[in-house]
């Protein structure tokens, strides 16, 4: 069975290469406010807030993390058969449930500034849970 | 669902890997089907039957719990 909507197998290594450095960069940025100075820009035409300095380190980190996870989870395996497709879709459903559950719990129990962290993590936890569960079941089959 | 893939493979002197290559799936998929962990699609079942030169019914047998 032909599977549409998947990346070629050779994209998968790029996913890993992109994911790990981006994730580490993101964590460093979030917790020790690490920034690359050369990514410093001043926004223009920002009429509401006037122009103010911006650093693109967090944008790079999040974009890299998401594209990395997407390539890891949605690239074809060397032998992409129907069982792999079933594991992939099951993992996606499972990850979605887990993510919903955690968001609901955090909404009920996390308040104030900490809720901002919940929103930040929520940007990439769904694909992260998916990739972990997918590879765990691939290894176990 | 029970299956006789292991027996049929032996008759044809095929390893899991050998059968997998013939029907374009991974060895792990054949292993999971043999153990009853995964029920293959009709397409894959027909391909296996073609390789073994028998009917699909001779490979797979329904069990009581499959009706639930």
């Amino acid at each position: 069975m032909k599977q549409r909507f998947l990346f070629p197998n050779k994209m998968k290594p790029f996913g890993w290469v992109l994911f790990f450095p981006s994730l580490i960069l993101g964590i460093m940025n979030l917790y020790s406010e690490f920034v690359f100075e050369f990514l410093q820009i001043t926004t223009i035409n920002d009429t509401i807030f006037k122009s103010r300095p911006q650093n693109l380190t967090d944008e790079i980190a999040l974009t890299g993390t998401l594209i990395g996870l997407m390539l890891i989870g949605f690239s074809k395996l060397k032998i992409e058969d129907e069982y792999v497709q079933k594991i992939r879709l099951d993992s996606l459903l499972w990850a979605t449930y887990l993510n919903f559950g955690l968001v609901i719990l955090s909404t009920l129990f996390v308040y104030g500034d900490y809720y901002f962290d919940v929103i930040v993590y929520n940007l990439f936890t769904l694909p992260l849970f998916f990739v972990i569960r997918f590879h765990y079941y691939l290894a176990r089959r | 669902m029970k299956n006789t893939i292991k027996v049929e493979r032996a008759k044809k002197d095929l390893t899991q890997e050998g059968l997998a290559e013939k029907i374009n799936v991974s060895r792990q998929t054949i292993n999971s089907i043999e153990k009853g962990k995964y029920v293959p699609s009709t397409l894959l079942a027909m391909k296996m039957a073609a390789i073994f030169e028998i009917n699909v019914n001779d490979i797979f047998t329904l069990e009581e719990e499959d009706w639930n």
Side-chain angles (χ1 to χ4, degrees):
Chain A
M1 199 168 27
K2 278 267 176 283
Q3 181 70 6
R4 295 172 300 165
F5 312 128
L6 289 178
F7 295 97
N9 174 248
K10 56 175 184 277
M11 298 303 283
K12 192 157 176 148
F14 291 109
W16 289 110
V17 169
L18 204 54
F19 169 66
F20 281 111
S22 304
L23 182 72
I24 293 166
L25 181 64
I27 291 170
M28 282 162 60
N29 179 262
L30 201 59
Y31 290 104
S32 47
E33 285 166 26
F34 172 85
V35 290
F36 287 121
E37 289 307 327
F38 69 92
L39 290 173
Q40 195 70 33
I41 57 156
T42 303
T43 51
I44 46 169
N45 296 332
D46 191 344
T47 49
I48 302 169
F49 301 106
K50 306 266 172 56
S51 71
R52 59 177 185 181
Q54 279 280 350
N55 189 285
L56 294 179
T57 306
D58 49 344
E59 278 79 5
I60 298 290
L62 182 63
T63 311
T65 305
L66 289 178
I67 294 175
L69 284 169
M70 193 169 68
L71 292 179
I72 294 166
F74 298 129
S75 291
K76 284 181 186 162
L77 298 194
K78 276 209 181 68
I79 304 174
E80 176 80 21
D81 60 26
E82 57 179 49
Y83 189 38
V84 172
Q85 288 168 20
K86 180 179 153 50
I87 296 174
R88 181 183 279 112
L89 288 179
D90 281 356
S91 302
L92 198 50
L93 180 64
W94 182 90
T96 309
Y97 280 141
L98 179 63
N99 203 244
F100 275 173
L102 289 177
V103 170
I104 290 168
L105 281 178
S106 327
T107 303
L108 294 175
F109 295 111
V110 180
Y111 296 93
D113 289 349
Y114 293 113
Y115 197 71
F116 180 73
D117 286 346
V118 172
I119 296 167
V120 170
Y121 280 111
N122 189 237
L123 293 168
F124 65 90
T125 44
L126 196 153
L128 183 67
F129 295 152
F130 159 63
V131 161
I132 293 169
R133 205 251 188 205
F134 179 44
H135 285 84
Y136 175 68
Y137 274 76
L138 281 181
R140 250 185 40 162
R141 75 198 150 135
Chain B
M1 203 152 74
K2 284 189 301 188
N3 69 78
T4 58
I5 296 169
K6 204 169 180 174
V7 178
E8 295 300 332
R9 267 199 309 111
K11 281 187 200 165
K12 290 274 172 191
D13 200 19
L14 274 172
T15 58
Q16 286 188 346
E17 185 77 58
L19 176 60
E21 270 174 34
K22 280 180 187 291
I23 58 175
N24 283 324
V25 297
S26 64
R27 187 194 59 75
Q28 292 95 325
T29 299
I30 298 295
N31 189 243
S32 300
I33 297 170
E34 256 182 44
K35 283 192 199 152
K37 263 169 65 184
Y38 175 62
V39 178
S41 68
T42 315
L43 187 72
L44 208 52
M46 301 280 286
K47 282 184 186 173
M48 278 194 269
I51 299 292
F52 296 146
E53 296 173 289
I54 52 176
N55 286 317
V56 175
N57 270 339
D58 301 327
I59 307 179
F60 297 99
T61 321
L62 279 176
E63 289 175 295
E64 198 55 45
E65 67 210 45
D66 291 322
W67 292 96
N68 300 329

